[in-house]
Every structure is written in structure tokens, then in C-alpha cells.
Amino acid sequence: MVIYDIHSHLGKTSSGDENSPDELVADLAEYGISKVGISSLSGISMREQNDLVHRAMKAYPGVIKGYAFINPKAPDAIEEVHRCLGELKMDAVKFHSWKHGYYPDNTPALQNILAEIQEYGVHVQTHVGTAPFSTPYTWAEYAKRFPNIDFVFTHVGYYEFGMSTIEAVKDLKNVWVETSGQMDVDVLRKAIDVLGAERVCFGTDWPYKPVNIEVEKFYELKVPEDKLEYIFHRNAEYLWRMEEEK
């Protein structure tokens, strides 16, 4: 089975542990994961974080997909969007309102930033599930305002908002959920049943989560192979616009 990881990271962790693109690729390959999308949460400079990811993309072309990490509070946020998506040819945009410390529903700059992102046709990933900064409800409102942007809500809302995330996005066809860190069996099953496997994406949140557990939980759940194909790689292929690369 082909497996792609749509949600991981690079750079020193919050506990100070170092890592590298070589470690990332080798660790994931050990479990059969052959492509990965990453953003950098390490540091406070958008440009430095995004340059780190771009170097990794160049070191592993066709293996590492890079995401622009954008802080909507930064005065140069839109400029950085254009640099990353235009000049650096990154594959998506990542927002992490918990890390950057803002409430999405009280951050009007997001409206203009998303309008600019929309022109590039890439998907947008949002960290969802850490109250009070990252609830699914506020990000769902942006998904409604921008139906032409594909959104990925990570962690299926994590521990606090698993079921709530599914309910918030079930009628939003431009929203997918990603599964790393979500260990509630009922939430995972409901996500597949309600949203369909076509809107559930596999991720590991490397280096923060054990890769083997993130892979094996789907086999423990006995997810049928035809559904696993969407979860493990077909949805990532669509969201990464891999058809356009051919």
C-alpha cells in the first residue's frame, strides 16, 4: 500500500530536540511512507521557518512537499504568502493559531490573506483542537467563506473536539480531516463513516507522534483496503495537485 504523510514538521521541537530532513525521510520510509508534507514550527521568524522547509524540499524533490507557515498577525504575511507560493513553489499553507496566539474569528487579516492564497490553488492546513485558540467552529466559518479553497483540519479536532469537528465540517465539501494524534476509536470510525474515506487524510505529525502507531491504528480498526487507499494516499495526491505535476 502506498502511504503519504500529509502533515508533519521539521525543525527543533518545543522540547529542544534537533532533527533533519534526512532523519524525517528515513524514519517515515521505515514504515513505508514515501512522501511527506511539512511545515516548520521551530522559531519565530516566518522567513527562516519557510526557508528551512524550502531547503528540505530541494534536498528531497518529489519526496518532501513544503508548506508555508504563515502568521496572520505579521505585517509581511501576504508578502510571505506570495514569496512561498510564487517564488518557492510551495505546496500548501499552514496556519497554527495556538502556536501564533490568535483567535481566528478575531483576526480580520485572515480574510485578505486567504483571498491571496486562493489565487494559487493550494490547500490550507489548520491546527484544530487546542482550546481556546483552535476550535473547529471558527475555521469552519472561513471554509464557508472560501469554498474554492480546500482545507485540511488536522488531528480530527484532537481530544477536545473530535466529534465536534466532524459535525462542524460534514456539510463542507471543501474540508478534509487529518488523523494524527487522534486515538479515539469512535472519532476515527465516525470520521470515515460520516465524511467518507475520500475526506480523511493520513498524517503522522512527525516528530511529535510515534509513526508506527499512526500507521497501525488503521489496520487495528480493520479499515477496508479500498478506503485505506484514499486515506493513505489518494486524498494527499489530490490535495497536493499531483495530477498537475504529470
Side-chain angles (χ1 to χ4, degrees):
M1 175 73 71
V2 174
I3 307 178
Y4 297 157
D5 175 358
I6 204 165
H7 170 217
S8 276
H9 302 289
L10 193 65
K12 187 183 294 186
T13 68
S14 51
S15 59
D17 297 326
E18 300 276 2
N19 53 64
S20 69
D22 297 339
E23 291 174 281
L24 165 69
V25 171
D27 199 8
L28 297 185
E30 187 175 342
Y31 299 98
I33 301 167
S34 54
K35 292 184 189 292
V36 58
I38 61 169
S39 58
S40 173
L41 309 185
S42 178
I44 58 173
S45 166
M46 281 193 304
R47 191 177 187 98
E48 290 178 6
Q49 290 166 314
N50 294 329
D51 284 347
L52 175 68
V53 168
H54 184 241
R55 288 194 296 272
M57 291 171 62
K58 294 186 72 174
Y60 286 93
V63 175
I64 290 179
K65 302 286 187 178
Y67 304 159
F69 190 31
I70 300 298
N71 181 356
K73 299 188 300 181
D76 59 340
I78 287 180
E79 178 184 330
E80 186 66 3
V81 165
H82 289 303
R83 187 180 78 93
C84 290
L85 300 183
E87 179 184 336
L88 304 185
K89 307 299 182 188
M90 288 187 169
D91 302 278
V93 174
K94 172 80 172 189
F95 291 107
H96 203 310
S97 49
W98 175 39
K99 288 283 187 184
H100 280 144
Y102 61 90
Y103 294 96
D105 56 340
N106 194 30
T107 307
L110 277 168
Q111 187 75 20
N112 290 335
I113 293 168
L114 287 166
E116 297 298 320
I117 292 169
Q118 183 173 238
E119 299 304 310
Y120 290 92
V122 301
H123 81 271
V124 167
Q125 281 194 18
T126 67
H127 174 84
V128 171
T130 307
F133 292 112
S134 302
T135 72
Y137 315 110
T138 54
W139 284 116
E141 289 303 311
Y142 283 105
K144 292 175 187 176
R145 292 180 206 172
F146 291 92
N148 294 324
I149 295 179
D150 293 327
F151 288 81
V152 175
F153 285 15
T154 61
H155 309 301
V156 199
Y158 246 148
Y159 315 116
E160 304 101 318
F161 296 104
M163 293 297 185
S164 300
T165 296
I166 296 166
E167 288 300 314
V169 308
K170 65 182 181 182
D171 296 323
L172 301 177
K173 302 306 183 185
N174 62 324
V175 179
W176 283 250
V177 295
E178 179 272 336
T179 60
S180 67
Q182 182 54 259
M183 304 308 293
D184 187 319
V185 168
D186 291 335
V187 169
L188 291 168
R189 284 181 174 151
K190 185 171 182 179
I192 296 170
D193 290 344
V194 173
L195 305 180
E198 297 85 354
R199 289 173 58 200
V200 177
C201 300
F202 172 79
T204 71
D205 198 21
W206 191 95
Y208 299 99
K209 307 292 187 299
V211 178
N212 61 319
I213 292 175
E214 295 299 335
V215 174
E216 289 298 325
K217 68 188 183 186
F218 289 98
Y219 294 112
E220 290 294 321
L221 287 170
K222 296 182 170 53
V223 177
E225 186 164 323
D226 60 331
K227 294 184 177 181
L228 276 182
E229 286 187 356
Y230 281 97
I231 295 168
F232 275 163
H233 69 93
R234 287 191 178 182
N235 295 331
E237 288 168 1
Y238 168 75
L239 290 162
W240 286 335
R241 312 299 190 238
M242 287 177 60
E243 282 298 317
E244 299 174 10
E245 298 174 3
K246 296 178 181 178

